[in-house]
Amino acid sequence: MTRTKRARRYRYLSPAAAMLVVLSAPVTARAVVSPGTGPASQSSTGESASAEPPTVQALRDTGPDQRRWMSLPGSRVVVNPYNFNLLGANRTPGMEKPTAYSNGPQLPMNVGYYVGDRAEEIPQAASLYMRDGERTPRLRSALDDDFSTLSGEWDVSPQLSTELIDGQAKLTVHDTIAASISRSLEINVDQTPFLQITVPRTEGKWSLQVRDGAQSPLIFLQRDTDQTGAFTFDLPRATGWHGTKSFWLSFVAIYQERPTYLDHLRIVGVDSPMQTAASFETEWLPGELPFHATYPNGVALSGSDAFHDRDTVVRSIDLQPSSGEGNPVPVVTVAGKFAGKPSWDRKSRTLTVTSAGYSYAVSFSLPLSGEPRLYRSAVDFLLQNPSQEVDGEGFWSVDIPLPVARRSGPAELGMSIAFAPGDNAGALARERASRPVLDGTWRGAVSEQTRFWDRLLAGVPQPHDFAVHGVPASGVTPDEVRREYYTAWVHIASNVLPPMPETGFHYPQIANGKASLWNFGAPGAKPSAQWESVLEMQFFAYVDPDLAWQAYKGLLSLVSHDGEMGGESLPSRKAQTADVLYRLTGDQASLRSVYPALKRHLLWERDNPRWICCGEDPAVDFPNERDSDFVVSLLVDMRYAREIAGILKIPGEVEFWNQQRTQLFENYLRWLWPSTSDPVQYHFVGEERCNYRGDCRGNDLDVAIGLNVELLDSEHAAGLTNRFDASYDPTDDFAGFTETRYPEFSLASYGLLAHGMPERTAVLANAYLRDIVRAHMFAESYVPHEGTIRPTGVRPSSFAAMTVIDAVWMKNGYRADLGWPHFVALPGETGGLDGIRILGRRLNENIAPAAAELRLSGSLISPVESCQRLRLPVGETIALPQPCIAGRQQLPG
């Protein structure tokens, strides 16, 4: 297979920091909203929504389950990323909560950065300590093995030979791919949290693992790597463990007959003069991360992290020194982990770190006590054992004595961290970081971000009813659903990435999950997923249709001449997205421009209806696999492709897609229907079994999505309904289904409507909405666990955010899947949706099931009474009639 990349320059219409285009008038008169500019969203006729949107203060999140990530639309930077790549490998229960992953008594600012097709993570880019001048540092050791001899406590795999050479253990694997040297330990990981290891040389690769008991999963401290040098791992952070733990430690040498050398391994702790907070609290808001802390020396502080612009994050701190005569002047130590080459600019009080492909800089508002010190590890920092020069990875620290004049009152400290892409970007990063602390604008960052997010929330569609109906509420309140709905919009908007010219890709992206650091898409646009991102474009078009079109064109520009798109291959919703974007905007020129690439890609999907993952040499790639998720999604997408061909009036193309669908439908019945009463999810052509899938039946909901295919006869529809009913339980979590992702939820929900089962759709909408709110994290999927809902897969992920929005819309009478306004009254639901933007005009809808009536208003709707009240029986779907458009504007398509 070929995986080629094509990109042409496209003008990015949102060049300002995190710019969004919120339509507030006809398309010819756009209102551009970005941080610090523009009025709140309002239509050209002065309409206001009856369902008032919240301010960011209403979304404030506190407690142990709070969110911690923060970003801006159009920013490469994410504060407190939740790296699912690490968590997915470890499945560590203690680290499932974002607070466990991101928080600590050192009040860390953790940063992720997207650059050059990479998603970088810099944990503890900046942290806060108080220096205790009376304390002498002391090292505590729980294990110290220099491998001058090989202790009998090490268990050596039979396939591993060990040889001691000059105080190093040479480990060589024989007759297999990997083998380990292991030992059991019992250690208080709070008192001795740091595991340090030196690997001076390897001709293969190595990994480092721990396991808490024989039945527990492996936890990778270091996944397979060929890196050498000294490494430090924080056991509590990596594992979620605390207190005294018994566990197995394994060092794994990888690759036959390629030796790896192990020099030194120790587990230590430090009694350090660097004091962390005795107690602390954090909070989350869309544009601000407040924190509060007290220290053993009596100092109390409050502060927050906020974006200053899309490249710069500022931390503002107010410190209250302890009272009492004779107390020493408190010294704040700011320290951070770095990877790269650090340098110091005394004039601007800025530390710059130059890394591969980017630089970042940290700047301070107050004078320092001397210059920064560099350390080779966190342990050296805590011991206050600096080195003259450290390249690669290490720690830096600066001391900031509080002004004596402020000892009787709060002292104010500002610092900023800024990023710039490029191999020689140090000067730009330094200028970006120093500017807000030198000109004082860091003080206004929180209020600026508050205004920005308030404007964005005012511009999204505003539902009337947030109550859970028809299923047990499980304690979920309308206020909680309301917060989750508007936070879902914050999540999707925050996923927007700017053009990244260093990869040759000149379009914005809507990432799968910016905060998750997911990065498995096509080369040039790896943060964009073929499934999640295109569906996000559909929703984001209600806020910024221009950016949604640009992101879509960018993704389609990556389709090769043979129709393939690189990266993880996922079920197609691309034709649906093009159709939805067109019907929301009427932009036929854009629709026509993407059609050739769209057609090529759908035909490639026809020949490859399966999961391929991931990269240039995918581990999962079985050409004979057939997956109902892929086949059904493509049958639905080809229906939209046929609609697009009709809109564009391309000769012969409507019939072409009819023929393609007919042929694919026949294959669908042949591949995945062993009998008409029992369809399956998987089939491997030429094989009796389902290869790596094991069970051919798959998940009930992944099969039942076939109800969205209108070509089914009644017998086959009954077979799909049987698969649905096999799991369906209105009283259970997620209505009994183990498949909890958004694409299956949406296809199944609308398929049930098409087959006259609106009651089941209503249960799905309410159950999925309720349980995502209970989980309190937007994730790819979920697993019920001991009375709770545990997020799994990619997280944070746009899937759950879109489920929340779509479910709330459905419950309030509006369908998200068809682009042009369609309305539905689900059983047991009332409400409405205000502020829907269609063709740059406003639409408000309100369902009245008792009267079987739909009430419409807004600048899109003709003032004629017969257009403002339409008949809408419960369970039926109706479209907005063309004669009801104000001014007789033509309906798209």
Side-chain angles (χ1 to χ4, degrees):
M1 294 182 295
T2 59
R3 293 179 184 267
T4 58
K5 173 177 65 176
R6 299 187 302 113
R8 66 183 181 86
R9 186 170 298 278
Y10 197 95
R11 186 170 65 92
Y12 181 45
L13 296 183
S14 299
M19 188 171 290
L20 292 173
V21 179
V22 178
L23 290 179
S24 61
V27 173
T28 55
R30 290 193 301 262
V32 178
V33 176
S34 62
T37 63
S41 176
Q42 188 180 26
S43 77
S44 57
T45 59
E47 300 164 345
S48 61
S50 61
E52 290 297 324
T55 65
V56 294
Q57 294 299 325
L59 304 187
R60 183 184 296 269
D61 203 358
T62 61
D65 297 325
Q66 67 186 262
R67 295 174 170 88
R68 296 302 300 144
W69 54 264
M70 178 179 67
S71 189
L72 266 181
S75 176
R76 300 170 181 251
V77 181
V78 55
V79 178
N80 291 333
Y82 186 80
N83 190 340
F84 96 99
N85 299 286
L86 299 177
L87 293 158
N90 290 340
R91 305 281 182 191
T92 310
M95 299 300 290
E96 288 294 329
K97 296 180 185 297
T99 50
Y101 187 80
S102 296
N103 284 2
Q106 71 275 44
L107 301 178
M109 181 197 291
N110 313 293
V111 181
Y113 189 64
Y114 286 84
V115 62
D117 253 355
R118 308 194 314 273
E120 300 283 354
E121 182 179 20
I122 309 171
Q124 298 187 50
S127 299
L128 292 179
Y129 301 82
M130 293 290 168
R131 178 181 291 276
D132 183 350
E134 304 297 319
R135 177 175 293 202
T136 301
R138 182 175 66 88
L139 186 71
R140 294 188 301 269
S141 179
L143 174 68
D144 193 341
D145 195 333
D146 62 4
F147 294 99
S148 57
T149 62
L150 188 62
S151 166
E153 297 190 32
W154 286 103
D155 181 16
V156 182
S157 297
Q159 298 86 4
L160 187 72
S161 66
T162 62
E163 184 180 0
L164 300 179
I165 302 174
D166 297 329
Q168 299 177 6
K170 178 184 177 182
L171 310 178
T172 307
V173 180
H174 307 285
D175 303 323
T176 187
I177 188 68
S180 66
I181 178 172
S182 307
R183 65 174 294 170
S184 63
L185 295 164
E186 185 175 12
I187 288 173
N188 187 312
V189 295
D190 291 324
Q191 294 180 2
T192 52
F194 300 107
L195 189 155
Q196 295 188 299
I197 188 170
T198 302
V199 181
R201 177 184 170 194
T202 183
E203 296 177 20
K205 291 187 176 183
W206 61 275
S207 69
L208 189 64
Q209 309 163 1
V210 292
R211 185 197 294 270
D212 178 15
Q215 303 303 316
S216 300
L218 283 174
I219 298 174
F220 286 87
L221 302 180
Q222 173 65 59
R223 296 193 67 83
D224 301 0
T225 183
D226 59 4
Q227 291 184 321
T228 58
F231 302 84
T232 299
F233 303 96
D234 186 328
L235 285 171
R237 174 173 171 77
T239 63
W241 298 341
H242 291 284
T244 300
K245 297 293 294 185
S246 297
F247 61 94
W248 274 88
L249 169 68
S250 298
F251 180 90
V252 182
I254 303 170
Y255 292 143
Q256 186 174 334
E257 307 300 337
R258 298 186 188 179
T260 295
Y261 294 77
L262 184 57
D263 187 11
H264 204 146
L265 190 152
R266 67 178 185 173
I267 299 177
V268 299
V270 180
D271 288 328
S272 176
M274 297 293 101
Q275 296 292 286
T276 58
S279 63
F280 69 95
E281 294 179 351
T282 62
E283 300 174 83
W284 178 91
L285 292 95
E288 176 192 5
L289 300 176
F291 53 83
H292 315 274
T294 57
Y295 288 82
N297 63 1
V299 173
L301 64 81
S302 295
S304 63
D305 297 332
F307 276 84
H308 179 268
D309 53 59
R310 66 180 182 179
D311 301 303
T312 310
V313 180
V314 298
R315 169 168 281 192
S316 57
I317 306 168
D318 287 331
L319 301 103
Q320 178 65 59
S322 57
S323 59
E325 292 297 326
N327 287 340
V329 176
V331 176
V332 177
T333 297
V334 182
K337 187 176 182 179
F338 69 85
K341 184 175 179 60
S343 62
W344 173 248
D345 181 69
R346 182 180 301 174
K347 182 177 180 181
S348 62
R349 298 192 294 269
T350 304
L351 176 78
T352 303
V353 177
T354 301
S355 298
Y358 73 101
S359 294
Y360 68 94
V362 187
S363 194
F364 306 92
S365 65
L366 293 179
L368 309 184
S369 175
E371 296 195 351
R373 293 178 297 278
L374 303 179
Y375 309 86
R376 298 193 183 278
S377 69
V379 172
D380 285 333
F381 162 65
L382 294 173
L383 287 170
Q384 288 296 280
N385 180 30
S387 299
Q388 285 296 109
E389 186 173 341
V390 179
D391 282 338
E393 292 190 2
F395 270 73
W396 57 266
S397 76
V398 297
D399 288 342
I400 307 174
L402 301 188
V404 175
R406 295 292 189 92
R407 288 186 58 196
S408 60
E412 186 181 51
L413 169 63
M415 58 175 288
S416 64
I417 180 168
F419 288 76
D423 290 326
N424 299 295
L428 180 57
R430 182 169 60 250
E431 190 275 330
R432 286 173 172 175
S434 62
R435 186 192 319 135
V437 296
L438 292 178
D439 64 18
T441 55
W442 61 272
R443 296 182 179 89
V446 169
S447 58
E448 180 69 16
Q449 292 305 310
T450 298
R451 287 191 293 270
F452 166 68
W453 286 109
D454 281 348
R455 287 193 298 272
L456 185 136
L457 293 175
V460 307
Q462 298 131 22
H464 295 191
D465 185 13
F466 293 96
V468 173
H469 299 133
V471 299
S474 300
V476 172
T477 68
D479 280 345
E480 289 174 323
V481 175
R482 183 174 184 258
R483 284 197 298 271
E484 210 75 6
Y485 171 81
Y486 284 103
T487 302
W489 284 104
V490 172
H491 174 92
I492 291 176
S494 295
N495 276 345
V496 175
L497 284 163
M500 296 187 178
E502 70 270 17
T503 68
F505 192 77
H506 299 277
Y507 300 83
Q509 299 180 60
I510 306 182
N512 172 7
K514 191 191 290 186
S516 74
L517 304 184
W518 189 94
N519 207 47
F520 300 100
K526 285 189 173 182
S528 294
Q530 296 183 32
W531 213 7
E532 292 92 328
S533 294
V534 294
L535 290 166
E536 282 184 283
M537 295 168 196
Q538 297 182 24
F539 287 98
F540 201 65
Y542 288 91
V543 177
D544 188 339
D546 288 335
L547 191 143
W549 262 123
Q550 291 171 44
Y552 183 81
K553 291 176 182 179
L555 199 63
L556 268 288
S557 76
L558 300 174
V559 175
S560 67
H561 292 296
D562 66 1
E564 187 180 13
M565 184 183 296
E568 184 178 11
S569 177
L570 294 162
S572 181
R573 301 289 285 270
K574 300 178 186 70
Q576 180 194 26
T577 298
D579 185 79
V580 167
L581 294 183
Y582 166 68
R583 295 184 188 280
L584 292 178
T585 64
D587 187 351
Q588 192 171 123
S590 289
L591 187 67
R592 188 175 298 277
S593 73
V594 299
Y595 182 77
L598 175 62
K599 179 179 179 180
R600 293 197 310 274
H601 183 65
L602 294 187
L603 296 180
W604 183 90
E605 291 266 5
R606 175 201 63 190
D607 298 333
N608 298 275
R610 69 194 195 279
W611 184 42
I612 303 174
C613 186
C614 291
E616 296 298 322
D617 186 20
V620 180
D621 185 3
F622 296 88
N624 64 333
E625 181 180 5
R626 305 293 182 261
D627 183 335
S628 69
D629 225 345
F630 286 75
V631 177
V632 169
S633 296
L634 186 57
L635 282 167
V636 173
D637 227 27
M638 283 183 171
R639 185 172 69 211
Y640 285 102
R642 182 187 62 194
E643 296 298 313
I644 292 170
I647 292 166
L648 298 177
K649 297 181 172 59
I650 304 175
E653 288 294 282
V654 171
E655 181 56 30
F656 171 82
W657 288 115
N658 280 331
Q659 293 173 359
Q660 291 295 319
R661 290 192 80 223
T662 299
Q663 181 181 352
L664 182 61
F665 182 70
E666 291 172 355
N667 287 333
Y668 169 55
L669 298 181
R670 179 164 54 88
W671 292 330
L672 299 164
W673 289 80
S675 72
T676 55
S677 62
D678 193 25
V680 298
Q681 182 176 356
Y682 303 113
H683 173 68
F684 284 74
V685 177
E687 299 182 29
E688 292 184 5
R689 300 182 182 273
C690 279
N691 202 297
Y692 74 100
R693 295 291 188 181
D695 180 15
C696 298
R697 287 183 56 78
N699 290 311
D700 288 329
L701 200 66
D702 290 89
V703 176
I705 63 173
L707 289 167
N708 214 291
V709 178
E710 82 287 357
L711 300 174
L712 296 165
D713 59 30
S714 59
E715 192 174 6
H716 287 89
L720 291 171
T721 303
N722 289 340
R723 283 300 304 262
F724 181 88
D725 287 342
S727 289
Y728 179 62
D729 182 353
T731 67
D732 202 356
D733 297 326
F734 289 100
F737 293 99
T738 57
E739 176 56 85
T740 58
R741 293 178 298 187
Y742 172 67
E744 291 82 4
F745 162 81
S746 64
L747 287 177
S749 296
Y750 293 119
L752 292 166
L753 284 176
H755 286 272
M757 294 179 275
E759 296 82 3
R760 288 174 171 84
T761 297
V763 167
L764 276 190
N766 281 279
Y768 275 58
L769 177 62
R770 173 201 63 201
D771 292 333
I772 292 172
V773 173
R774 289 170 62 200
H776 200 58
M777 176 186 278
F778 297 134
E780 177 184 6
S781 52
Y782 299 89
V783 176
H785 178 74
E786 299 178 354
T788 66
I789 304 296
R790 176 174 288 178
T792 63
V794 181
R795 55 208 189 276
S797 164
S798 57
F799 268 170
M802 292 184 286
T803 302
V804 167
I805 295 171
D806 199 350
V808 170
W809 283 13
M810 260 193 283
K811 286 162 49 61
N812 280 270
Y814 195 80
R815 291 185 58 156
D817 62 323
L818 297 171
W820 186 252
H822 283 70
F823 312 96
V824 62
L826 294 181
E829 302 291 349
T830 60
L833 191 64
D834 292 349
I836 309 163
R837 295 288 171 177
I838 310 291
L839 301 176
R841 297 201 261 172
R842 184 184 180 107
L843 168 66
N844 310 315
E845 60 88 5
N846 195 359
I847 55 174
E853 188 175 79
L854 170 70
R855 298 163 187 169
L856 302 175
S857 64
S859 56
L860 184 69
I861 302 302
S862 169
V864 178
E865 175 70 17
S866 60
C867 288
Q868 296 180 343
R869 293 177 180 268
L870 302 178
R871 178 169 172 75
L872 179 60
V874 172
E876 293 189 12
T877 293
I878 64 171
L880 176 63
Q882 182 175 351
C884 288
I885 303 171
R888 300 288 182 177
Q889 183 170 347
Q890 290 296 305
L891 185 77

